[in-house]
Amino acid sequence: MAGSQLSALDVAFLCLESETTPMHMGAVVTFTARGPVDQAALTVLLAQRAARLPKLRQRARAELFPPGSASWSDDPDFVAADHIHHVVLSSLYEPDPLSAYASRWIAEPLDTTRPLWDLTLVTGLPDGKFALLLKLHHALTDGAGAYAVAAGLLDGVKLPERAPAPIPAPRSTLDTVKDALGTVWGQAGIASSLVRAARPPLSPVSAPPSAERRLGFVRLPLTELRRVRRAHGGTTNDVVLAVLSGALREWLVNRGQRADGRTLRALIPVSVRGRAGEQLGGNKLSGYLCDLPVGEDDPVERLRAVRRAMTRNKAAGPSRGAGALPLLADHVPPLLHRLGTRTAGQAAPMLFDLVITTVPLPPARLSLHGARLAEIYPFVPLAPRHAVGIAVATYRDSVHIGLQANGAAVPDVGSLRDAVLKSAARLLDAS
């Protein structure tokens, strides 16, 4: 069955794909089982649930018109079990076997001629735990949509039904022209902001292309971050950004880089999804650019600086400024993405130094085959020539932070993980 056409932004994510820049999102999810893990039963259950999700049956197929475009179509050879794998880990040779294995797993690109997902069941973990490692290509969906897809694999999660498309009200020719002019004017404004925001590509966290990856897992108590928020105001997300700013400061210093007087610019993706019926769709993204105050040593002043920056971003809205580059990319003809997106992607360090994204999760307790979900660490694709990318998910009483690093530039991601913990402790002590 034929599916919908890929948006221009979806095509752009496909065009960015390369051996050193795989464009899939990832998640490492651990569960606590009540008894011995039944690998065979889990594999069958996951295959059954995956087969019921239409989006997981589809692959991207190139179209002749418009030139460079693509659409989703059912894979005639689709077998859900072919996308599901099982490995048994041991701590005999690795002190942290899950992180070590996941680092190799995340580095492997997806086969773009098949449905764009992959799932690995990991057993052999201590304390009766097992893990699911999920890849979804960014062309398939964004972070908000990724949860809607992945939730279909879990117990008892009812996905929102796709709402019928509203019937548009009749519009006059004048209104149509005004809307078209407004769109063109908005695109011109974003493009102008991009030009003004560009800097020489001299980022202290840039990196040469590499197929190696290193993953780090950080878990912070949500109650402590909320205590900081109550003391100093802002949002929990502001507190997390301040913690990450302090961590990046220490990490730079430990790498022999100057931190004082410096900022690192983060691209913070923002979902612009509307109705619940859009949850399984492709990418619905804009973004903010936020200068992280890594040059500030005082943790409270860092939080205040982050609050000011994010307040300005929110006041301007997600459809203005250089951070709205995904909106601009969504209006570029697909053929131009095919011809130039990979080359243009190499200029990412001229606009931002890293990506920090937040994946929304519900407060309800989640489980798989009766085993409770314990931890969930999301991972954002590394932009070309970037050394690190950060993804954040809040689940129940914890904030889970997934660190993905270029393995050639950052052989020891543990130093950044430790810096996050130390930065959080300093901010809490100051509160």
Side-chain angles (χ1 to χ4, degrees):
M1 183 181 74
S4 59
Q5 189 173 63
L6 276 72
S7 70
L9 183 56
D10 299 338
V11 172
F13 284 127
L14 277 180
C15 294
L16 282 170
E17 176 81 19
S18 72
E19 183 178 347
T20 58
T21 310
M23 290 304 298
H24 51 257
M25 300 173 289
V28 173
V29 190
T30 66
F31 298 84
T32 302
R34 298 175 181 174
V37 179
D38 188 337
Q39 172 264 323
L42 272 171
T43 302
V44 170
L45 178 65
L46 289 167
Q48 290 173 344
R49 291 177 176 177
R52 293 199 294 263
L53 297 173
K55 199 67 175 174
L56 298 187
R57 305 177 60 90
Q58 296 183 327
R59 62 182 180 181
R61 182 182 64 185
E63 299 288 355
L64 293 177
F65 189 83
S69 65
S71 64
W72 297 111
S73 64
D74 281 357
D75 183 356
D77 300 319
F78 176 76
V79 177
D82 291 345
H83 294 259
I84 302 173
H85 319 283
H86 173 235
V87 297
V88 182
L89 299 183
S90 169
S91 58
L92 183 61
Y93 302 107
E94 293 278 2
D96 187 358
L98 182 58
S99 176
Y101 174 79
S103 296
R104 298 189 295 271
W105 161 84
I106 198 76
E108 297 175 4
L110 291 167
D111 183 350
T112 55
T113 66
R114 306 174 67 210
L116 296 172
W117 65 280
D118 187 85
L119 188 63
T120 299
L121 171 64
V122 178
T123 58
L125 303 179
D127 303 322
K129 288 185 176 182
F130 66 91
L132 284 185
L133 278 58
L134 174 65
K135 291 178 188 174
L136 290 171
H137 200 283
H138 219 323
L140 191 69
T141 188
D142 54 28
Y147 168 72
V149 173
L153 304 173
L154 302 176
D155 297 340
V157 176
K158 181 176 175 55
L159 297 178
E161 296 182 2
R162 185 174 293 275
I167 300 174
R171 297 176 60 80
S172 68
T173 303
L174 179 60
D175 286 338
T176 302
V177 171
K178 285 180 178 179
D179 287 348
L181 289 175
T183 299
V184 171
W185 182 257
Q187 295 172 34
I190 296 171
S192 176
S193 297
L194 285 171
V195 172
R196 293 196 303 270
R199 314 157 300 171
L202 300 175
S203 169
V205 292
S206 64
S210 172
E212 291 184 73
R213 294 292 184 267
R214 297 288 185 273
L215 298 186
F217 310 144
V218 187
R219 185 175 182 176
L220 300 176
L222 182 57
T223 54
E224 294 184 356
L225 299 180
R226 285 176 172 169
R227 190 185 313 166
V228 174
R229 186 196 67 191
R230 287 194 297 270
H232 300 290
T235 67
T236 301
N237 189 56
D238 293 341
V239 177
V240 171
L241 289 175
V243 167
L244 294 175
S245 299
L248 290 164
R249 172 186 172 84
E250 176 160 333
W251 183 61
L252 285 177
V253 171
N254 291 340
R255 287 162 58 89
Q257 298 276 359
R258 178 181 60 82
D260 289 340
R262 168 171 273 164
T263 60
L264 290 181
R265 184 179 291 169
L267 173 64
I268 302 175
V270 176
S271 175
V272 291
R273 290 177 181 271
R275 306 181 311 275
E278 293 181 345
Q279 288 300 303
L280 294 180
N283 288 274
K284 309 287 184 182
L285 286 175
S286 184
Y288 299 136
L289 290 183
C290 180
D291 287 331
L292 303 178
V294 298
E296 174 59 61
D297 185 52
D298 185 295
V300 175
E301 287 301 321
R302 280 198 297 267
L303 175 55
R304 290 171 179 161
V306 167
R307 283 187 58 196
R308 290 192 296 268
M310 291 305 293
T311 298
R312 288 193 298 269
N313 278 326
K314 292 170 185 176
S319 60
R320 296 177 60 188
L325 63 97
L327 295 180
L328 182 63
D330 211 21
H331 287 89
V332 172
L335 181 60
L336 293 185
H337 282 305
R338 299 281 186 186
L339 295 174
T341 290
R342 185 176 295 183
T343 300
Q346 298 300 315
M350 296 179 64
L351 291 174
F352 53 95
D353 299 301
L354 74 163
V355 175
I356 301 178
T357 190
T358 300
V359 180
L361 296 178
R365 189 175 292 280
L366 304 173
S367 64
L368 174 63
H369 205 220
R372 286 186 172 183
L373 192 154
E375 299 168 302
I376 177 165
Y377 297 100
F379 296 95
V380 66
L382 278 188
R385 299 175 61 81
H386 279 190
V388 65
I390 302 175
V392 180
T394 299
Y395 175 66
R396 304 291 290 178
D397 58 356
S398 298
V399 172
H400 299 84
I401 301 174
L403 308 171
Q404 181 171 184
N406 177 311
V410 189
D412 179 20
V413 76
S415 61
L416 180 55
R417 179 193 60 220
D418 294 344
V420 174
L421 295 171
K422 182 177 178 180
S423 176
R426 280 195 67 196
L427 184 54
L428 183 65
D429 288 344
S431 302

